[in-house]
Amino acid sequence: MKAQPKKIKLRIKVGDEVTVIAGDSKGKTGTVLSVDAVKNRAIVKDVNLVTKHIKPTAATANAAAQQGDIVKKEASIHISNLALIDPKSGKATRVGRKLDEKGKLQRFSKKTGDIIK
C-alpha cells in the first residue's frame, strides 16, 4: 500500500498577488487562481502559459470544441518559484506566521511587518 504524501501548510493562498522569481516566467506578476498543497504547486493568472490543442468532437454544443482549437492556458508553477507581493510596498517579500491576540496564526510580511489578509 502506497503512503499518501503529506500536505504541508503553505504561505501562499488563493487570491494573493505574487511575482515569479525563477524560471521562464521570471519577473511576471499575477493573482493565484488555485493551489495544490500536496504537489506544492500553484496556478497564477497569465503566468507560465502553455499551448493546448483541443481535439475536434462531434457531440458537444461548444463550437470551439466541435472544430478543434489551439488554446493558451496557465500551467502550474512550483511554490518555491513564487514570492508574495507586499500590499504596502509593492515589492516581493517573505512571509512569516505569528499568533495574534486571539491565539490565531496570522501571516505577516517580513519586509514591513504588516499583517497580510
Side-chain angles (χ1 to χ4, degrees):
M1 192 166 156
K2 195 171 187 179
Q4 291 287 19
K6 189 174 180 184
K7 186 174 130 180
I8 61 169
K9 185 81 171 175
L10 299 175
R11 287 167 166 74
I12 292 177
K13 297 185 178 188
V14 174
D16 285 346
E17 194 71 23
V18 294
T19 184
V20 181
I21 57 174
D24 292 340
S25 300
K26 183 176 180 176
K28 292 184 180 176
T29 61
T31 306
V32 177
L33 300 175
S34 69
V35 175
D36 185 355
V38 176
K39 294 182 181 177
N40 292 338
R41 297 183 80 80
I43 295 178
V44 183
K45 185 177 172 92
D46 296 330
V47 173
N48 198 22
L49 294 173
V50 294
T51 305
K52 295 293 250 179
H53 294 264
I54 299 175
K55 252 186 162 176
T57 58
T60 60
N62 187 359
Q66 227 170 0
Q67 287 183 308
D69 206 0
I70 299 173
V71 180
K72 291 241 182 217
K73 69 181 279 186
E74 295 95 358
S76 66
I77 188 167
H78 201 270
I79 294 285
S80 66
N81 296 332
L82 300 175
L84 189 73
I85 294 178
D86 185 25
K88 194 171 192 178
S89 68
K91 295 182 180 177
T93 182
R94 291 182 298 148
V95 179
R97 293 188 295 177
K98 63 182 173 183
L99 289 172
D100 64 355
E101 300 82 31
K102 299 175 185 174
K104 188 175 179 187
L105 269 179
Q106 294 285 323
R107 296 186 304 160
F108 72 96
S109 166
K110 295 240 183 167
K111 192 163 273 194
T112 60
D114 293 338
I115 299 286
I116 300 168
K117 299 286 184 218

